[in-house]
């Protein structure tokens, strides 16, 4: 059996102790009591008015208090006369409204109620929006005051700004590179930085017939032009074309303002008489100069003696070219002993030595081999040296009846 509880306090006293904010219960049929999960703690309510000043009959027994030291909490009558309920926990805030009880921890119903209240409340929506689009400053490193946003909108703006800055930096870098290239091209190709100076043109290989000043005059038109824009091949051709005594010229750059010109000169080997005097020719029949008297040491080209019997003959350009080619292939020792040369219209060349002997050369084939064979034959005394067939050369003397064969000479 339960122990009888203490008698209930008087109604008047309980009504005075009740909080003023809690209205008295209405008379009439009672509403169903909410569940403990949805009902929060509230202050004890006043008893209904239809009850009497004090109910007759024995009071409902109350539960034993948890601790002997804790004071007993008066129980609130719940619907029936003999029913008893557990004491309610007092509210933590006096000003809290009884219409919005706080949900219990860990309760499933309380969690749903809280979510519904947060989603339906305007303050909760504003709080969610602030959470999504909020912004805070985060120090990335010491001394770095950049702002990193945690909100979506600000983050997108920062990303767009970063992309614009990146594109701007790339554009600036590209512009700087282009400007640097343009300046470098102008400085190297069009400015006087590498311009040609005529006084710095050096000449080598001349035999004295062409002076350095003549070469500089040919290249003076390019003074001031950058060495990078000069075509050395074209300059070489211009030097050899404008200076007749130059067979070939090789022009190279001498940084930063000069040129080096190496000349290969034409060597005069023969002369031929014309109406204006004597023409000095090289081995390619190029007229190097005209003189009134034939220079010593050169082969004089004369008409064919066999054609002279029918009358004076004019020397054709073909005959001149044939003789000059043969004379140009001779060694310097042999050339010094040749006094004149002639050629037929068919191109058969005959040379006359200063000793009176003659050389039957033949056509212009194998000129180099014939020149070596003739140099070997001239070690012996003869009046006629026949090298028209270089592999079977012969010599004849004035007092001999026939030709004397000579051992074949090497072909190399």
């Amino acid at each position: 059996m339960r122990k009888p509880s203490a008698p209930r306090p008087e109604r008047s006293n309980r009504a005075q102790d009740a909080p003023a904010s809690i209205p008295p219960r209405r008379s009439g049929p009672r509403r169903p009591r909410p569940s403990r999960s949805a009902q929060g703690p509230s202050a004890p309510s006043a008893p209904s008015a239809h009850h009497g000043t004090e109910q007759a009959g024995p009071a409902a027994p109350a539960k034993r208090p948890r601790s002997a030291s804790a004071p007993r909490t008066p129980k609130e009558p719940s619907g029936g006369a003999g029913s008893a309920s557990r004491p309610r926990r007092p509210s933590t805030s006096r000003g809290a409204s009884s219409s919005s009880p706080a949900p219990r921890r860990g309760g499933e119903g309380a969690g749903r109620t809280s979510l519904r209240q947060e989603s339906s409340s305007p303050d909760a929506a504003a709080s969610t929006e602030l959470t999504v689009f909020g912004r805070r400053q985060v120090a990335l490193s010491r001394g770095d005051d950049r702002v990193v946003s945690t909100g979506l909108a600000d983050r997108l703006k920062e990303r767009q700004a970063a992309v614009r800055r990146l594109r701007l930096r790339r554009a600036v870098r590209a512009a700087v590179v282009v400007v640097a290239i343009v300046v470098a091209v102008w400085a190297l190709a069009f400015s006087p930085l590498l311009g040609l100076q005529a006084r710095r043109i050096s000449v080598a290989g001349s035999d004295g017939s062409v002076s350095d000043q003549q070469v500089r005059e040919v290249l003076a038109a390019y003074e001031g032009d950058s060495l990078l824009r000069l075509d050395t091949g074209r300059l070489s051709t211009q030097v050899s074309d404008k200076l007749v005594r130059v067979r070939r010229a090789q022009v190279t750059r001498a940084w930063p303002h000069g040129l080096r010109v190496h000349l290969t000169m034409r060597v005069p080997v023969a002369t031929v008489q014309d109406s204006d005097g004597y023409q000095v020719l090289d081995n390619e029949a190029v007229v190097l100069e005209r003189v009134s008297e034939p220079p010593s040491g050169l082969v004089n080209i004369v008409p064919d003696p066999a054609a002279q019997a029918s009358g004076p003959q004019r020397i054709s350009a073909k005959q001149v070219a044939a003789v000059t080619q043969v004379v140009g292939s001779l060694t310097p020792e042999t050339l010094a002993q040749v006094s004149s040369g002639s050629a037929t219209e068919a191109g058969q060349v005959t040379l006359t030595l200063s000793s009176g002997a003659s050389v039957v050369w033949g056509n212009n084939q194998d000129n180099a081999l014939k020149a070596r064979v003739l140099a070997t034959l001239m070690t012996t005394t003869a009046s006629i040296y026949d090298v028209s067939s270089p592999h079977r050369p012969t010599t004849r003397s004035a007092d001999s009846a026939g030709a004397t064969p000579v051992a074949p000479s090497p072909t190399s």
Side-chain angles (χ1 to χ4, degrees), residues 53-54 86 120 141 219 230 245 262 353 365:
T53 56
E54 186 176 350
R86 294 183 181 179
S120 60
S141 62
L219 301 176
L230 294 180
R245 298 299 295 262
H262 186 272
L353 303 180
Q365 295 180 357

Side-chain angles (χ1 to χ4, degrees), residues 138-146:
V138 179
L140 299 181
S141 62
R142 181 173 296 178
D144 193 349
D145 58 350
R146 287 182 295 170

Side-chain angles (χ1 to χ4, degrees), residues 4 41 50 139 154 198 212 229 271 371:
H50 67 278
D154 289 343
D212 297 353
R229 293 191 298 120
T271 60

